[in-house]
Amino acid sequence: MRKIAYLIILMMMYANAGRAAEKMYWLPADCSQNRQQLFSYFKQAALLGLEQRDYAFALVQQLQSGYMPTDSLMTDRALTQAAIAFFTDVAYGPAITRIGYDGLKYVPDCLDIPTLLYSALANNNFNKLLEKVEPSAPQYNALKSMIAFYNDRLQRQDYHPVKITSETADSSNHPLIDKLYQLGFLDAPDYTAHEDTLRIKIRAAEYMFEFLEDGALRQGVIEELNVSLEKRLSELKHAINTFRWLNCLRKYQYVVVVDIPAAELFVYLGDSTMLNSRVIVGKAKTPSSPLASRIDEVILFPYWTVPHNIAVKELLPGIKGAPSIYLEAGNYQVLDKSGRILDPQSINWNTLNKHNFPYTLRQMFGCDNSLGIIKLNFFNPYSTYLHDTPARSYFMFNSRYFSHGCIRVEDAIPLAKLLVPAEAPRIDSLSRMKTPPAGSPITIPMKPGIPVIILYEVAWPDANGKVRFFEDVYEKFK
């Protein structure tokens, strides 16, 4: 399918150029500079998080060895097709699985790659095309720089796999020093480095791996340091291509991005991060799902409709002990299948179980409501949404994987105010109230909705543009 798409684009390129189909761009003698520049671009693929073999690799090898094909027109077209594929991947990233549900039906298309390519060739500035096509965000550049650095380390003659086994943080721990050098925390593998210097470098590594920055070489820190450089490079490549994929979407509008391993939320607009918040995501047994959708409403003082599994597994045993006390203390209502509120005393709770529970539990608004006072809704098949929470202490953990799949947002109120600025004063004033003035949830529609993307990236830049690596909590990158 992708090959057919490139052939169509290739035909468009010739049509846009207004030239005959016989026009060639690479093989004639007067095009040798363009040809060599194209081969130079392809050679940079690894430094860009791409695979050189995806771009007419065998043909390029033949041409560089002096082989001249009999059908020069078809060869020239093959090189043009490879060039379009290369610059398309530079702009948008290659097609890789990023999300399970795509409610946006989003396909990046903010650049006319064939026209840009033809224009660069026609105006003799083909050597400037790469910088025109690449994203310009600082996060992208940070990922690109780290990819280039790790590639350089892997290609050095002194590179060798390293495994740290000792928790000793001094110059006697040669594997530690080697690894700190390979990751760029040391300029050279100095086996005379002072312990204080090594502690400082360990703190820098702990920051990158989202650990307490105390300079202690604990087992968890050792495990992250022992991840191979090749695997880190693979994680970085996945991340940079996802960031490319997002580039068109965030150019002229807010885009809410949640990275599950980082347990962080970002609001991007163009090359800027407008808001960053810690979040709590699903634990491994009840994971959050990667998806794309649109936030279509903000709800103040929301009800919490308890998911069936939580109701029967976690709440029902407590309800059976003292129905009225338990339900009143949690501010729960019991609804039948028609949505009518029932008297809990009219139900024989001891006859109910996970196979027989024809009711819905709904928690009323209030300071103890599990959703807090803000809920941001978007359609998806996983019943996932963004919401506030009264349980603030969980945000203090570095590993914030505690929920049943929904996303708890530490800065839910600032997020809502940012996304619906026309209603910001209302949100600000209402959020300070203990109960809604109307006695029921207040819904603020959002038209058009704000794109929300939930990703799974083990490597991702933080709000300051520093690339960090996070726990592969769902083991998707094993």
Side-chain angles (χ1 to χ4, degrees):
M1 191 71 183
R2 187 177 179 187
K3 184 176 180 181
I4 294 173
Y6 284 140
L7 289 173
I8 294 172
I9 293 173
L10 180 60
M11 293 172 64
M12 290 170 56
M13 176 181 174
Y14 286 116
N16 290 341
R19 302 293 182 87
E22 287 75 19
K23 169 68 178 177
M24 294 194 292
Y25 297 91
W26 315 107
L27 291 188
D30 59 349
C31 295
S32 61
Q33 186 174 351
N34 288 336
R35 183 171 66 251
Q36 293 308 315
Q37 180 62 63
L38 179 64
F39 294 168
S40 176
Y41 281 144
F42 291 166
K43 195 173 181 179
Q44 296 177 53
L47 303 180
L48 297 168
L50 303 172
E51 297 294 334
Q52 186 176 355
R53 291 186 174 276
D54 290 343
Y55 311 109
F57 183 73
L59 175 59
V60 171
Q61 294 291 99
Q62 290 176 339
L63 292 171
Q64 288 182 319
S65 69
Y67 168 78
M68 290 305 295
T70 54
D71 192 334
S72 57
L73 179 60
M74 288 301 295
T75 301
D76 204 277
R77 287 183 175 180
L79 289 176
T80 301
Q81 180 180 333
I84 292 172
F86 174 78
F87 289 109
T88 299
D89 288 349
V90 167
Y92 309 139
I96 56 176
T97 302
R98 298 178 178 90
I99 52 177
Y101 167 75
D102 183 8
L104 295 177
K105 305 300 181 188
Y106 161 62
V107 178
D109 62 352
C110 55
L111 296 175
D112 186 343
I113 300 296
T115 298
L116 287 172
L117 176 57
Y118 171 73
S119 177
L121 292 169
N123 295 315
N124 296 319
N125 58 4
F126 183 49
N127 62 331
K128 302 292 185 182
L129 184 57
L130 181 63
E131 61 189 72
K132 289 184 178 180
V133 169
E134 279 192 286
S136 56
Q139 297 92 335
Y140 170 84
N141 289 325
L143 288 163
K144 179 183 172 183
S145 294
M146 188 169 281
I147 287 171
F149 183 86
Y150 284 7
N151 267 302
D152 176 73
R153 283 288 193 260
L154 283 168
Q155 292 171 7
R156 293 196 176 210
Q157 290 184 348
D158 61 356
Y159 173 76
H160 59 281
V162 174
K163 184 174 183 180
I164 303 167
T165 57
S166 171
E167 296 182 4
T168 303
D170 60 28
S171 58
S172 68
N173 194 342
H174 289 195
L176 169 64
I177 293 171
D178 289 341
K179 195 66 175 187
L180 291 174
Y181 162 68
Q182 290 178 0
L183 292 173
F185 297 113
L186 289 172
D187 294 331
D190 181 6
Y191 303 127
T192 65
H194 192 275
E195 181 179 344
D196 290 345
T197 299
L198 292 178
R199 295 286 183 187
I200 292 171
K201 304 305 181 183
I202 291 170
R203 288 191 195 99
E206 287 169 335
Y207 172 82
M208 188 169 73
F209 297 132
E210 192 77 356
F211 283 105
L212 176 68
E213 298 161 50
D214 59 0
L217 195 59
R218 299 182 301 279
Q219 190 58 41
V221 178
I222 290 174
E223 288 176 4
E224 290 299 321
L225 286 169
N226 279 338
V227 173
S228 70
L229 216 57
E230 292 86 350
K231 188 171 187 296
R232 291 301 185 201
L233 190 56
S234 175
E235 293 165 355
L236 289 166
K237 287 180 177 179
H238 198 278
I240 197 172
N241 287 312
T242 296
F243 207 88
R244 286 178 168 126
W245 175 71
L246 289 170
N247 195 45
C248 291
L249 190 64
R250 61 182 177 77
K251 270 188 177 294
Y252 308 110
Q253 63 181 328
Y254 289 132
V255 177
V256 178
V257 173
V258 175
D259 182 37
I260 295 170
E264 293 272 344
L265 177 147
F266 306 87
V267 180
Y268 297 124
L269 175 61
D271 290 347
S272 300
T273 301
M274 308 303 294
L275 184 142
N276 169 233
S277 174
R278 288 176 289 192
V279 299
I280 293 167
V281 297
K283 50 184 178 283
K285 290 185 179 180
T286 55
S288 301
S289 298
L291 60 85
S293 188
R294 288 189 182 274
I295 299 172
D296 53 19
E297 61 182 13
V298 174
I299 302 175
L300 295 166
F301 305 101
Y303 294 125
W304 179 41
T305 301
V306 183
H308 179 79
N309 282 344
I310 298 177
V312 298
K313 292 180 180 179
E314 300 182 22
L315 302 188
L316 183 57
I319 296 172
K320 287 182 176 181
S324 296
I325 295 174
Y326 190 97
L327 292 169
E328 184 176 347
N331 206 12
Y332 292 106
Q333 294 177 328
V334 184
L335 284 64
D336 65 13
K337 291 182 178 180
S338 300
R340 294 177 300 177
I341 300 173
L342 304 177
D343 179 358
Q345 297 292 341
S346 67
I347 301 171
N348 185 351
W349 294 95
N350 289 321
T351 64
L352 303 178
N353 53 55
K354 64 180 181 180
H355 303 296
N356 174 34
F357 193 83
Y359 306 109
T360 297
L361 298 181
R362 184 175 72 182
Q363 190 176 40
M364 296 290 286
F365 40 80
C367 59
D368 292 329
N369 184 292
S370 295
L371 304 187
I373 61 171
I374 293 278
K375 177 183 178 184
L376 296 92
N377 260 345
F378 46 91
F379 179 80
N380 65 91
Y382 314 113
S383 300
T384 298
Y385 40 83
L386 304 174
H387 66 90
D388 185 26
T389 176
R392 313 297 291 179
S393 61
Y394 289 104
F395 291 114
M396 301 306 295
F397 289 85
N398 282 342
S399 298
R400 296 181 293 276
Y401 318 119
F402 299 112
S403 83
H404 290 84
C406 284
I407 314 294
R408 307 175 200 168
V409 184
E410 183 176 34
D411 295 321
I413 294 173
L415 174 63
K417 288 171 62 178
L418 177 67
L419 300 184
V420 285
E423 300 287 348
R426 186 183 186 195
I427 291 174
D428 202 29
S429 59
L430 289 174
S431 65
R432 291 192 286 268
M433 298 181 179
K434 293 184 178 180
T435 58
S440 60
I442 299 170
T443 299
I444 302 174
M446 296 178 62
K447 293 182 180 180
I450 303 294
V452 57
I453 314 284
I454 299 177
L455 299 171
Y456 193 94
E457 296 292 341
V458 173
W460 199 252
D462 63 17
N464 298 316
K466 299 288 187 181
V467 178
R468 305 177 78 174
F469 294 96
F470 304 94
E471 182 181 354
D472 184 7
V473 62
Y474 302 161
E475 298 187 346
K476 289 181 177 287
F477 278 80
K478 294 295 183 184

